[in-house]
Amino acid sequence: MVGAPNYSRAPVTEAVFEFRFDGVLTLRDLERLRDRLKPRYPAVEDRRNVEVQVSSDGHIQTKASLLGYQMTSADARHVVLVQSNSFGTIRQAPYETWDELISVARANYSEFERVAGRRTFNRISTRFVNRIDIPNASLEADDVTSWFNAGTKIPAKFAGSLKNFSFSEIFGCGDGRFGALLQGGTVDPFLLNHTSVVIDIDISLERDISQHKDVLWETAEQLRAAKNDVFEEVITDRVRGLIR
Amino acid sequence: MNALVAATASLAKNWGHDLPGQFDSRASLRDWWTSIPKQQDSLVLSGSGSSTLVTSRSPRNSLHEELFSELVKLKIAVAQYAMHLSRDTRHRIFHDLDSLLNPEDWYEEDKLPQMSSFRDFLKWTVYAKRFNWISLGISNDGHIQAAWKSDRGLLTARYTGNGRVIWTARITAEGGDDQLAGDSSLQSLERQAHFYLDSD
């Protein structure tokens, strides 16, 4: 299914390629990585974990630790998420091609490897967040769930009054090698007189991960095929009609 | 709940914010937390004894950096509409944003654009398919304002960020120019725009 159709109005709002690894990066490694990536990703935001503890006598303690950095390119198209146990490359809309996403991910990874060295991967994944904007006039005949082959069921008696829905499903794909987390549902409409539905597909490899040097990029291609397969199975021709 | 409010108040105070009043639920506390104008992303209200926050903050040392960070956020908002905008229109909006948030022309007292107002501008632009604005600006309140001109007239709109638009129009009529103003929904503004800008 690698040769999935190219949609002229691709609904992808965010495309992610990410890996997680054993152990954690030191604060110094995080900072060095941030500094190496900063010329290409100048908008830097710290991501911190803050713990608040309240004792029985009302004493309050707060403890903050750096999780990593979210760094965005000047044109806001590319984001890199550097965390102590994961590293992600994100392409914001307009999504162009998989090859472009992976080419940027490769460049980012080479910076990662220079700073952090070879790591043992324990999760490799791709995540595509899609948003379909459906004209409300097209929803008069039936409810929004009928536009997708995944989601919730509602008794026919109430289907006409369905306002919002959300769902989350976990299943196997890619011949059972990968795990899929499929989440979807209505969100605040992005367009006037439309209903916006998000289809968020996260495909991951979490077991039996080979550690040979090209595993990231070979796995990436397989994840891509599985991701395309899930997307095409989830949408109906009515959705295709909107994004083609 | 009281302990959680106290903990949140303590944390918020560290970052320069005072609690506005009482909260009767975790949801209302969370809503306030996420609404305050700062860089924190989310608040996880987990246990009664301890809570965990995942925060995100931009280390901003200068006006230049603050404007740049804001510019990136606005461009990401444009990206959310990428499938409904042509490449030329996206570039045009980016170009206008670069000019609007140019540190060389910015004064400390200028208001940053409100994201809800900017989103309304984008929503309306896609809805009305009017990509030929002659100017884009930011009002003293941080509202996005735009203007369109045609042979028939001139229309200006200020998006207040709540699905409403304050507009003015000037059209050439027999006996002199007519000037009008209104406060409309986004959908209604399209009807006004058609009347004041389009020739039949």
Side-chain angles (χ1 to χ4, degrees):
Chain A
M1 199 71 204
V2 173
N6 276 328
Y7 295 109
S8 63
R9 304 172 77 184
V12 180
T13 59
E14 195 172 284
V16 184
F17 180 72
E18 186 200 64
F19 60 86
R20 296 180 192 173
F21 46 86
D22 289 349
V24 291
L25 297 180
T26 63
L27 179 60
R28 174 143 175 73
D29 281 346
L30 283 172
E31 288 172 349
R32 286 174 64 206
L33 203 43
R34 175 198 63 196
D35 294 343
R36 288 193 75 94
L37 291 164
K38 200 168 179 186
R40 283 191 292 136
Y41 300 92
V44 181
E45 291 202 336
D46 295 359
R47 291 179 63 80
R48 291 178 182 278
N49 186 56
V50 182
E51 279 182 40
V52 183
Q53 288 206 325
V54 186
S55 58
S56 54
D57 62 0
H59 185 68
I60 296 161
Q61 264 195 324
T62 58
K63 195 171 81 178
S65 57
L66 184 73
L67 285 178
Y69 302 102
Q70 178 170 319
M71 307 176 65
T72 308
S73 63
D75 62 5
R77 288 185 172 194
H78 301 278
V79 177
V80 61
L81 193 55
V82 185
Q83 301 209 111
S84 54
N85 65 347
S86 68
F87 188 78
T89 295
I90 302 169
R91 167 70 203 215
Q92 304 275 0
Y95 172 73
E96 288 177 352
T97 64
W98 173 264
D99 290 344
E100 189 225 16
L101 171 68
I102 293 303
S103 154
V104 175
R106 275 177 178 268
N108 291 342
Y109 177 68
S110 101
E111 298 292 353
F112 173 88
E113 202 174 28
R114 272 188 198 141
V115 170
R118 286 275 299 163
R119 295 276 166 158
T120 302
F121 305 117
N122 57 42
R123 187 179 194 271
I124 305 172
S125 66
T126 189
R127 179 180 176 202
F128 272 61
V129 182
N130 303 274
R131 193 190 73 240
I132 320 290
D133 298 316
I134 305 172
N136 287 345
S138 306
L139 293 172
E140 281 168 6
D142 47 17
D143 74 71
V144 65
T145 59
S146 66
W147 287 60
F148 303 92
N149 297 318
T152 53
K153 272 195 168 183
I154 184 169
K157 179 178 175 182
F158 307 115
S161 62
L162 180 69
K163 301 292 180 209
N164 295 301
F165 73 100
S166 67
F167 66 89
S168 177
E169 296 166 353
I170 295 174
F171 51 90
C173 62
D175 294 328
R177 194 172 164 226
F178 303 130
L181 169 61
L182 173 65
Q183 299 179 94
T186 44
V187 293
D188 283 345
F190 275 69
L191 298 182
L192 296 172
N193 302 343
H194 282 64
T195 296
S196 296
V197 178
V198 165
I199 299 292
D200 180 346
I201 301 169
D202 185 307
I203 311 288
S204 62
L205 174 65
E206 297 191 45
R207 56 188 164 82
D208 303 329
I209 303 179
S210 151
Q211 299 298 328
H212 73 82
K213 76 176 174 60
D214 288 326
V215 65
L216 277 182
W217 318 116
E218 288 171 7
T219 306
E221 293 309 311
Q222 296 156 1
L223 290 169
R224 175 197 188 189
K227 176 268 298 177
N228 285 344
D229 189 25
V230 170
F231 181 70
E232 289 300 323
E233 291 297 322
V234 166
I235 62 170
T236 62
D237 282 344
R238 300 171 85 182
V239 172
R240 288 185 189 92
L242 287 176
I243 62 179
R244 191 164 277 146
Chain B
M1 181 65 194
N2 286 341
L4 197 58
V5 171
T8 307
S10 161
L11 203 55
K13 206 162 183 61
N14 284 341
W15 287 323
H17 298 285
D18 289 320
L19 249 60
Q22 298 298 311
F23 294 95
D24 51 9
S25 68
R26 286 179 178 221
S28 61
L29 179 61
R30 188 180 55 232
D31 288 348
W32 169 76
W33 178 266
T34 52
S35 72
I36 57 179
K38 54 179 176 33
Q39 295 80 44
Q40 289 81 359
D41 266 347
S42 58
L43 170 59
V44 182
L45 303 178
S46 50
S48 56
S50 72
S51 299
T52 300
L53 298 155
V54 176
T55 73
S56 176
R57 56 189 350 203
S58 308
R60 291 173 194 158
N61 303 320
S62 66
L63 174 68
H64 188 280
E65 284 174 338
E66 187 162 359
L67 286 175
F68 179 66
S69 173
E70 202 60 32
L71 186 59
V72 166
K73 285 180 191 163
L74 292 166
K75 288 181 176 178
I76 288 174
V78 175
Q80 294 292 311
Y81 290 83
M83 65 289 279
H84 301 294
L85 300 170
S86 70
R87 180 183 294 257
D88 285 350
T89 301
R90 284 198 310 273
H91 286 175
R92 182 154 181 238
I93 297 174
F94 278 21
H95 177 265
D96 285 352
L97 291 174
D98 286 336
S99 300
L100 282 175
L101 276 76
N102 177 1
E104 304 296 318
D105 303 324
W106 194 267
Y107 292 89
E108 286 281 351
E109 62 271 24
D110 286 348
K111 282 258 184 159
L112 289 168
Q114 288 181 17
M115 187 58 78
S116 56
S117 168
F118 185 60
R119 286 212 183 95
D120 274 359
F121 163 72
L122 292 170
K123 269 186 192 178
W124 189 81
T125 299
V126 173
Y127 175 73
K129 297 184 176 59
R130 290 188 185 270
F131 306 112
N132 57 342
W133 57 89
I134 55 167
S135 73
L136 197 66
I138 306 168
S139 75
N140 292 338
D141 301 321
H143 297 149
I144 292 293
Q145 44 194 16
W148 296 261
K149 193 174 188 314
S150 72
D151 291 343
R152 184 170 161 80
L154 174 74
L155 179 73
T156 71
R158 178 162 65 85
Y159 299 84
T160 52
N162 54 354
R164 306 287 302 179
V165 191
I166 294 168
W167 56 268
T168 66
R170 192 179 71 212
I171 53 171
T172 305
E174 278 182 36
D177 285 355
D178 285 351
Q179 301 204 32
L180 305 101
D183 176 349
S184 304
S185 66
L186 293 171
Q187 286 94 334
S188 178
L189 178 65
E190 163 48 12
R191 291 190 288 277
Q192 308 294 349
H194 177 63
F195 181 78
Y196 293 115
L197 294 174
D198 299 341
S199 306
D200 290 328

